[in-house]
Amino acid sequence: MKKKNAFFDRFSPKKSFVEAGFLNGLTDIHSHYLPGVDDGFQTVEETVQALSTMVEHGVKRIYFTPHIMADIPKNRPGFLQERFAGFQKEAPAGIELRLAAEYMLDVGFYAQQEEGLLTLGGRHVLIEMSYLSPSPELINVIYDLQLKEYVPLLAHPERYLFMDKAQYSELKAKGCKYQLNLMSLSGQYGRRAQDVAWFLLQNGMYDFVGSDIHRLNVFMHHVNRIKLTLKEQNLLQDLIRQNDLLW
Ligand SMILES: [Fe+2]
């Protein structure tokens, strides 16, 4: 049976993420649509246009996950909730929206925990760190979050240039979940991130998948460019199913 699957996989035409129908019904768990609060979309019009495009493609549910980090001090839960509530009046019909956040593991993260975290589905906390150097607090943060019954979810692990295969396994064994950035598969963040993303995907290391969208045209360019064999489509389908559990 394995041989047969390999045969079909080899000769089936590859499909892009869009051609495979993966936007249809998707729950996106990582995005920067909330206008004017971080390096993502800047105006209400841009966000509305992007969301309308997602509705056309059948995207069903989206978490807005603006950056919360010491470098953007105004981004506190109360402020973001207010902006989110204001934006929802402008949002196109046909799509459900929720607010969470992407937390940078910097000096402010402990204070953020005190203030109350914006989570995915009540328990999962989307975290990120510097791409260039390891966060000395990472292991402690993972432990602390778990003590408080949160589930740490590391955004785009493929983008951290200092991580090696052993570290990916070690963090995973400590209970940290991994979220693939879709655009890593087509090289948006460079060759190394692309290679690591395919390695982690093919080795079943990811738990969820997100767009991490900042600009509509960049995202659409990449989701049309990612070419997937049947086997790779199945791997992504599994992650997409997991995303639904966070709603
Ligand atoms: Fe992000």
Side-chain angles (χ1 to χ4, degrees):
M1 192 63 195
K2 239 184 182 173
K3 243 186 178 169
K4 207 173 164 192
N5 282 342
F7 176 85
F8 283 118
D9 201 40
R10 199 167 150 204
F11 291 102
S12 302
K14 287 188 174 190
K15 287 185 178 171
S16 77
F17 192 84
V18 179
E19 288 163 344
F22 287 160
L23 286 179
N24 195 14
L26 183 74
T27 298
D28 191 2
I29 62 159
H30 184 168
S31 76
H32 296 271
Y33 286 108
L34 191 60
V37 300
D38 61 12
D39 58 344
F41 291 83
Q42 293 307 306
T43 67
V44 170
E45 292 71 27
E46 280 171 352
T47 296
V48 168
Q49 190 205 348
L51 291 178
S52 302
T53 303
M54 294 306 142
V55 171
E56 282 166 25
H57 282 93
V59 176
K60 279 278 172 281
R61 307 184 288 200
I62 299 179
Y63 275 103
F64 286 11
T65 56
H67 290 287
I68 291 187
M69 52 169 65
D71 286 347
I72 317 178
K74 72 173 190 308
N75 279 4
R76 311 280 284 273
F79 170 74
L80 293 171
Q81 275 155 342
E82 207 174 283
R83 293 292 289 260
F84 179 70
F87 174 76
Q88 275 198 304
K89 295 169 199 145
E90 313 287 335
I95 196 156
E96 290 179 68
L97 306 175
R98 284 186 188 170
L99 179 69
E102 179 180 18
Y103 287 94
M104 174 64 77
L105 299 188
D106 57 21
V107 287
F109 187 64
Y110 279 98
Q112 294 299 341
Q113 288 189 56
E114 301 290 306
E115 209 166 320
L117 297 170
L118 297 172
T119 62
L120 299 158
R123 292 180 63 215
H124 287 72
V125 181
L126 189 64
I127 53 175
E128 65 168 340
M129 35 183 189
S130 156
Y131 297 127
L132 301 175
S133 53
S135 168
E137 284 297 297
L138 178 62
I139 299 296
N140 289 338
V141 166
I142 287 172
Y143 182 67
D144 273 5
L145 286 173
Q146 288 169 330
L147 271 185
K148 293 171 187 154
E149 299 192 350
Y150 289 117
V151 180
L153 171 52
L154 185 63
H156 37 68
E158 67 277 4
R159 297 191 64 186
Y160 304 112
L161 301 175
F162 49 86
M163 284 182 79
D164 59 23
K165 287 179 186 173
Q167 283 168 309
Y168 285 116
S169 301
E170 187 199 348
L171 264 192
K172 193 82 194 151
K174 290 190 188 302
C176 186
K177 305 289 181 190
Y178 288 161
Q179 174 252 306
L180 162 69
N181 263 23
L182 208 40
M183 289 184 279
S184 295
L185 296 176
S186 55
Q188 161 71 349
Y189 314 104
R191 186 58 197 266
R192 189 198 176 272
Q194 184 178 19
D195 290 346
V196 175
W198 281 108
F199 171 82
L200 294 176
L201 181 67
Q202 270 151 357
N203 285 278
M205 298 284 276
Y206 287 116
D207 300 282
F208 305 100
V209 58
S211 69
D212 199 3
I213 187 171
H214 288 66
R215 307 275 177 276
L216 176 63
N217 56 353
V218 175
F219 178 69
M220 292 314 296
H221 170 76
H222 282 277
V223 285
N224 280 303
R225 226 178 121 200
I226 302 164
K227 298 291 181 192
L228 304 157
T229 64
L230 263 183
K231 186 184 166 205
E232 291 160 356
Q233 288 171 43
N234 289 336
L235 291 169
L236 270 176
Q237 187 73 67
D238 289 344
L239 302 184
I240 290 169
R241 271 193 219 109
Q242 291 294 112
N243 278 18
D244 290 342
L245 303 178
L246 293 184
W247 197 259

